[in-house]
Amino acid sequence: MNLKRLELLGFKSFAKKTVLDFESSITSIVGPNGSGKSNVAEAFRWALGEQSLKSLRGKRGEDLIFNGSAGHPKLNHASVEVVFDNKQRQFALDFDEVAVSRHIYRDGTNEYFINGTKVRLKDVIELLSAVSLGVSSHHIISQGEADRILNANMYERREMIEDALGLKVFQYKKEESEKKLEKTRENIKEVESLRREIAPHLRFLRKQIEQVKKAEEMRAELVAIYKEYFKREENYLTQFKQLLIKEKGDPETKLQTIETEISRLSAILSSANTADPSKISRLRELDSNIFEIRNKKNNLEREIGKLDALIEIKSVSDDKGRNDRNIRVNEKGERICLYCAQVVPRVVDEVREDELRQAREKEVSEIRIRRDEVEKMIHSLHESEARVLAEMDTVRAGIESKKDEFRDSERMLYELRAEKSNLMSLLNSARTKEEKFNMEEGAFKMEQTEAVVLAGREAVNFRDFIIPAGTENEPRVIQEERRRKIERIKIRLEDMGNSGEDVLKEYNETEERDRFLEKEIADLMSSAEGLESLMVELSEKVNTEFKKGVEKINKQFQEYFSLMFGGGSAELVLVLPMKKKSAEEVALGVSIPDEDENKEEGVDINVNLPRKKIKGLQMLSGGERALTSIALLFAVSQVNPPPFLILDETDAALDESNSKKYGDMIENLSKISQLIVVTHNRETMSRAGILYGVTMGGDGVSRLLSIKFDEAVRIAK
Ligand code: ATP
């Protein structure tokens, strides 16, 4: 037994908890009109997910909740639980029992539970569709709706049959796929529009990037030039420095020596200026000595002369002496001896001359003696003079030699000063060069800092740069040209601005976003394709299964139909939807099938009653309609048996003989499906294993009792 139990609480007229056990394959519910039998059938329908209030004979959700009566207050909540046996695991749940329940509150809130766990309606529908208990409720035939399938149009019929064949689950999947596909297409549109939105920005960034790339190339070129420039500049500065060291170093050393020499010489000169005064005064002393000596000597020599003259005068004869040129006659006629001054009477007279001779001879001898003395004195003075002169020479030589030394020093000093000034000018030129060097070295360092900022660290990794052979000693102008080129690139780079990194970052991000969106579109497209092909597959599956099912149903339908009517024929036919008739077609009385592939075929029912020329459902009587519907319902149920079938007064229109046939058929059918039949028909009741009587007292509350057949017959009336 699949269906085990139904529990109602507060549902419609069942104000109190009411439990129906379905331990028999056929359960009959009997009772007087208006006692609540149909409410039981509706309780099933509702609990299993029915959404149409109309089919539950209500307008609002709260119409399903016990509304109160004279003796009973109205309730705020209704619930119905259907319990299935799941020992065979027909439901995909690992429980021996599966209880599906639905609750409703006055505010219209619905709640669904499976085995006590709150679930969504979708979960209930999915669970039930797996056992062919679809929402179309083909297994619950409400009162007066036995010929619903005959009244329905060909598409509704198709739906009912699909549901009965258990194909609804595929249709759900198809619908779900369609919804997903629609959502996916919307997503594709959204993503495409996002992509379109960023496209102009991306184009703009791409252009920017070209600029950035150009700048990158220029930066790479700059790095290359820088490396060579720096390498050469370093070499140049190294050579420059060495030259400078030499140019500055040599004169500096020399200058030092010269300075020492100059100060030495200056010392000498300043000492020479303060020459030894003793020598000068000595010289002066000796000079006055010599003057004195020479004076004395002159006097003495003059005395010798005088003495010699005296001697001569005194020694020559008077005659001779008279004639002597040394005698002259004065104005008185006197002869005057020139040499006899000192004897100062000098008048020569003859008488006295002889005497005089003697005197003179004595005198001469005395004079000679004196002369000798004077001679000796002169000699001695000679010696003194020579001595003094010799000393003077010595002293003068001493003074002279000092003067030479002074002159040499002066000359040397002059020369050294000339050299010093020469060296100074060399040094000055070296210092000017040094200043130039310092400036160039400073510029070199600054240039490196600038290079790092502008072209990155790589620009200063120039140590490994190899200067092309043969160009080591290129003219400096080439390096200057290189420098100008660097300047030109720098200016262009500065003009381009320094936003490269930002642009690149933004470009990469936007590009990545674009690629992401592109991929997203591709993914969505492929999932759309997947969904489309799934839908095609599902359609094909439904179509094939449906056609197979219809074939099987037709076999059973024919059997039940001829059993019911004692012959005749009945079948389901698949028809393509017709195009709207044109005026011409209407006039000709023809219609053309719509061969649109997407349109599914509908279902028509062809019947041929035995011994009657009746074709077309609309020509059947009420009973014939009921029988045809029952035959079809049973045929469908035979092909794909539902776990249970609820037949609410389906037998109402049958006469006695047909009631018997109906009874046979439900007995037959009960072998494969559980049946719950709401009936007033005695024949039907007689086939039931369990009979429930439903009564309603004056309090408007339905009550349920398990009864025996006889009682049932009574109650049913
Ligand atoms: P019949 O044999 O004539 O078909 P039935 O036994 O099938 O009758 P139902 O149609 O099941 O009778 O029951 C209808 C009864 O349920 C009515 O008396 C109606 O007043 C009662 N009923 C319906 N909804 C509610 C409600 N919300 N509260 C109380 N009673 C309700």
Side-chain angles (χ1 to χ4, degrees):
M1 266 346 102
N2 268 326
L3 186 65
K4 282 186 91 172
R5 211 162 55 245
L6 177 75
E7 278 187 29
L8 306 95
L9 176 62
F11 184 79
K12 288 203 170 181
S13 55
F14 288 89
K16 291 178 180 165
K17 182 173 172 178
T18 308
V19 179
L20 290 88
D21 282 306
F22 304 102
E23 280 156 2
S24 165
S25 58
I26 301 175
T27 303
S28 199
I29 299 171
V30 302
N33 292 136
S35 59
K37 302 184 295 297
S38 294
N39 290 346
V40 174
E42 279 164 3
F44 272 106
R45 194 192 278 276
W46 180 70
L48 300 182
E50 179 61 79
Q51 295 301 300
S52 155
L53 278 170
K54 201 178 155 203
S55 76
L56 297 167
R57 293 181 295 168
K59 280 184 183 159
R60 294 163 303 161
E62 62 179 345
D63 291 343
L64 306 178
I65 305 169
F66 179 69
N67 210 21
S69 64
H72 278 273
K74 71 175 186 178
L75 298 175
N76 290 323
H77 156 255
S79 71
V80 176
E81 183 174 71
V82 184
V83 182
F84 296 92
D85 183 297
N86 192 35
K87 287 203 182 77
Q88 311 287 326
R89 296 292 185 267
Q90 290 98 324
F91 296 98
L93 287 175
D94 200 18
F95 293 98
D96 286 350
E97 265 189 7
V98 169
V100 176
S101 64
R102 182 171 176 178
H103 295 243
I104 188 162
Y105 299 86
R106 287 233 169 250
D107 64 358
T109 313
N110 278 273
E111 282 175 349
Y112 301 87
F113 293 84
I114 293 175
N115 282 5
T117 303
K118 199 171 174 183
V119 294
R120 296 163 300 173
L121 168 63
K122 189 173 169 277
D123 302 314
V124 175
I125 291 171
E126 257 177 37
L127 180 84
L128 298 174
S129 65
V131 292
S132 299
L133 292 176
V135 200
S136 75
S137 311
H138 65 282
H139 55 289
I140 301 174
I141 310 298
S142 304
Q143 196 178 8
E145 284 207 326
D147 57 353
R148 187 157 62 112
I149 194 159
L150 304 189
N151 293 333
N153 68 36
M154 62 182 194
Y155 302 112
E156 288 166 349
R157 249 178 240 140
R158 180 180 173 121
E159 216 173 300
M160 286 179 208
I161 290 166
E162 272 182 2
D163 198 6
L165 286 171
L167 298 176
K168 214 64 205 167
V169 65
F170 300 112
Q171 290 288 24
Y172 286 142
K173 279 187 184 162
K174 206 177 133 189
E175 276 166 26
E176 225 166 72
S177 303
E178 202 157 7
K179 275 185 202 152
K180 277 188 196 161
L181 185 64
E182 214 171 287
K183 184 89 199 126
T184 307
R185 283 183 182 139
E186 271 171 32
N187 285 345
I188 290 174
K189 272 188 197 159
E190 264 173 39
V191 179
E192 275 175 344
S193 102
L194 282 178
R195 212 175 159 213
R196 268 198 304 278
E197 264 173 41
I198 62 167
H201 188 53
L202 193 62
R203 271 199 299 278
F204 168 74
L205 285 173
R206 225 169 249 145
K207 266 194 191 153
Q208 294 271 93
I209 282 301
E210 274 170 31
Q211 280 283 98
V212 171
K213 277 188 184 146
K214 214 180 264 172
E216 276 305 306
E217 281 167 21
M218 274 165 61
R219 216 162 266 137
E221 192 191 354
L222 187 62
V223 167
I225 301 177
Y226 257 140
K227 280 186 175 184
E228 182 165 7
Y229 176 79
F230 285 143
K231 181 71 179 185
R232 285 186 187 275
E233 201 61 11
E234 192 184 50
N235 287 355
Y236 162 76
L237 287 172
T238 312
Q239 282 173 18
F240 195 165
K241 190 160 194 173
Q242 279 164 0
L243 191 80
L244 210 58
I245 288 168
K246 205 170 143 41
E247 275 191 22
K248 223 180 105 188
D250 286 359
E252 261 173 358
T253 331
K254 274 190 192 157
L255 205 60
Q256 251 178 13
T257 325
I258 286 174
E259 297 275 24
T260 325
E261 192 60 14
I262 284 174
S263 45
R264 188 183 68 81
L265 291 174
S266 302
I268 288 174
L269 288 179
S270 62
S271 75
N273 279 340
T274 53
D276 189 356
S278 62
K279 280 191 176 142
I280 306 280
S281 65
R282 178 66 186 148
L283 201 61
R284 283 197 195 111
E285 202 179 318
L286 290 172
D287 207 37
S288 77
N289 282 355
I290 216 106
F291 180 76
E292 212 173 304
I293 288 167
R294 284 186 180 153
N295 220 15
K296 278 183 188 164
K297 209 172 88 181
N298 283 347
N299 288 342
L300 288 173
E301 276 170 350
R302 256 197 314 273
E303 196 179 336
I304 283 213
K306 275 182 195 166
L307 292 172
D308 279 345
L310 277 177
I311 292 165
E312 205 181 358
I313 294 166
K314 304 260 183 228
S315 35
V316 288
S317 60
D318 287 319
D319 295 343
K320 262 186 174 179
R322 277 181 202 117
N323 299 327
D324 200 327
R325 52 186 163 107
N326 290 330
I327 304 220
R328 77 182 161 98
V329 179
N330 68 6
E331 53 273 18
K332 294 174 185 166
E334 293 169 324
R335 297 190 336 139
I336 305 274
C337 176
L338 287 176
Y339 297 104
C340 304
Q342 54 269 65
V343 196
V344 176
R346 285 176 305 168
V347 180
V348 185
D349 66 62
E350 305 237 343
V351 178
R352 288 191 60 194
E353 263 183 35
D354 227 21
E355 285 161 21
L356 273 171
R357 199 178 300 126
Q358 285 171 6
R360 273 195 306 261
E361 277 169 7
K362 193 185 166 224
E363 246 181 344
V364 166
S365 134
E366 280 173 3
I367 290 168
R368 285 197 198 279
I369 289 163
R370 171 72 192 157
R371 191 185 183 278
D372 286 349
E373 278 174 12
V374 170
E375 192 106 1
K376 273 182 194 158
M377 278 165 72
I378 285 175
H379 185 72
S380 150
L381 280 171
H382 256 309
E383 280 177 358
S384 294
E385 187 187 15
R387 210 171 42 249
V388 170
L389 278 174
E391 193 184 339
M392 273 180 88
D393 277 351
T394 315
V395 171
R396 202 170 279 122
I399 288 169
E400 278 311 311
S401 86
K402 197 80 181 168
K403 271 187 183 164
D404 282 350
E405 197 185 5
F406 181 82
R407 265 191 300 276
D408 282 352
S409 297
E410 238 178 7
R411 183 181 43 76
M412 267 171 72
L413 197 59
Y414 174 78
E415 277 170 15
L416 286 175
R417 277 187 179 139
E419 200 176 342
K420 184 184 169 180
S421 102
N422 191 30
L423 287 173
M424 288 298 278
S425 92
L426 280 179
L427 261 180
N428 277 343
S429 117
R431 279 188 188 125
T432 313
K433 279 186 188 168
E434 193 179 27
E435 269 169 31
K436 188 177 175 237
F437 172 81
N438 286 341
M439 270 167 65
E440 285 185 333
E441 195 186 43
F444 177 60
K445 281 177 187 159
M446 242 167 73
E447 189 65 50
Q448 285 186 63
T449 317
E450 214 174 290
V452 171
V453 174
L454 219 70
R457 288 222 66 82
E458 185 55 23
V460 290
N461 285 341
F462 58 86
R463 300 261 143 67
D464 297 338
F465 183 84
I466 295 162
I467 292 173
T471 67
E472 295 88 347
N473 298 316
E474 64 171 30
R476 185 85 180 133
V477 282
I478 298 181
Q479 178 77 333
E480 277 158 16
E481 180 47 44
R482 208 168 275 127
R483 149 102 259 137
R484 279 195 288 278
K485 195 169 179 185
I486 285 171
E487 286 306 321
R488 281 199 296 276
I489 297 177
K490 267 159 72 175
I491 289 167
R492 281 172 63 196
L493 272 178
E494 272 161 18
D495 283 351
M496 280 178 170
N498 210 12
S499 57
E501 255 176 49
D502 293 346
V503 172
L504 196 66
K505 191 168 168 258
E506 198 182 344
Y507 172 75
N508 284 340
E509 280 170 5
T510 317
E511 168 87 33
E512 197 181 315
R513 174 140 178 76
D514 186 57
R515 271 205 302 275
F516 169 78
L517 293 175
E518 193 184 26
K519 193 176 170 296
E520 189 89 343
I521 291 170
D523 288 350
L524 287 168
M525 294 270 208
S526 95
S527 76
E529 274 168 29
L531 286 168
E532 275 163 2
S533 67
L534 177 67
M535 280 167 65
V536 170
E537 252 175 57
L538 287 168
S539 289
E540 280 169 5
K541 167 115 184 140
V542 168
N543 269 336
T544 347
E545 292 296 313
F546 182 71
K547 278 181 181 143
K548 276 193 218 161
V550 166
E551 251 176 61
K552 285 183 192 165
I553 290 167
N554 273 340
K555 241 173 142 185
Q556 298 295 327
F557 189 24
Q558 174 62 38
E559 260 181 45
Y560 281 116
F561 187 86
S562 60
L563 189 76
M564 287 282 200
F565 290 95
S569 67
E571 62 166 348
L572 301 177
V573 283
L574 301 184
V575 282
L576 273 172
M578 295 298 164
K579 273 187 185 168
K580 233 183 168 183
K581 282 184 184 177
S582 65
E584 204 180 342
E585 285 166 350
V586 174
L588 289 170
V590 291
S591 53
I592 298 162
D594 187 351
E595 285 177 11
D596 184 346
E597 278 180 15
N598 293 326
K599 290 214 171 142
E600 287 177 327
E601 293 156 315
V603 178
D604 236 347
I605 303 172
N606 286 348
V607 286
N608 271 315
L609 292 184
R611 297 168 301 277
K612 284 187 181 173
K613 281 191 176 173
I614 284 177
K615 281 189 183 170
L617 296 173
Q618 65 281 9
M619 294 173 82
L620 297 175
S621 77
E624 285 165 348
R625 284 181 75 81
L627 281 177
T628 309
S629 322
I630 291 162
L632 181 56
L633 175 71
F634 285 13
V636 171
S637 301
Q638 193 83 27
V639 170
N640 189 37
F644 64 93
L645 259 172
I646 299 171
L647 305 168
D648 190 352
E649 296 189 36
T650 323
D651 52 7
L654 304 183
D655 60 19
E656 217 177 303
S657 86
N658 280 334
S659 292
K660 196 162 172 353
K661 285 178 191 165
Y662 177 82
D664 291 344
M665 282 195 295
I666 59 167
E667 222 168 286
N668 225 350
L669 199 63
S670 73
K671 287 174 190 151
I672 48 172
S673 282
Q674 253 176 292
L675 300 176
I676 295 143
V677 288
V678 176
T679 188
H680 292 284
N681 191 307
R682 190 187 148 84
E683 183 60 45
T684 307
M685 284 183 219
S686 73
R687 311 284 176 145
I690 292 176
L691 284 157
Y692 285 114
V694 182
T695 57
M696 187 184 274
D699 57 358
V701 173
S702 296
R703 278 185 188 78
L704 184 86
L705 13 128
S706 188
I707 49 172
K708 297 272 181 273
F709 174 68
D710 288 342
E711 211 177 343
V713 175
R714 192 174 43 83
I715 284 178
K717 286 171 181 166

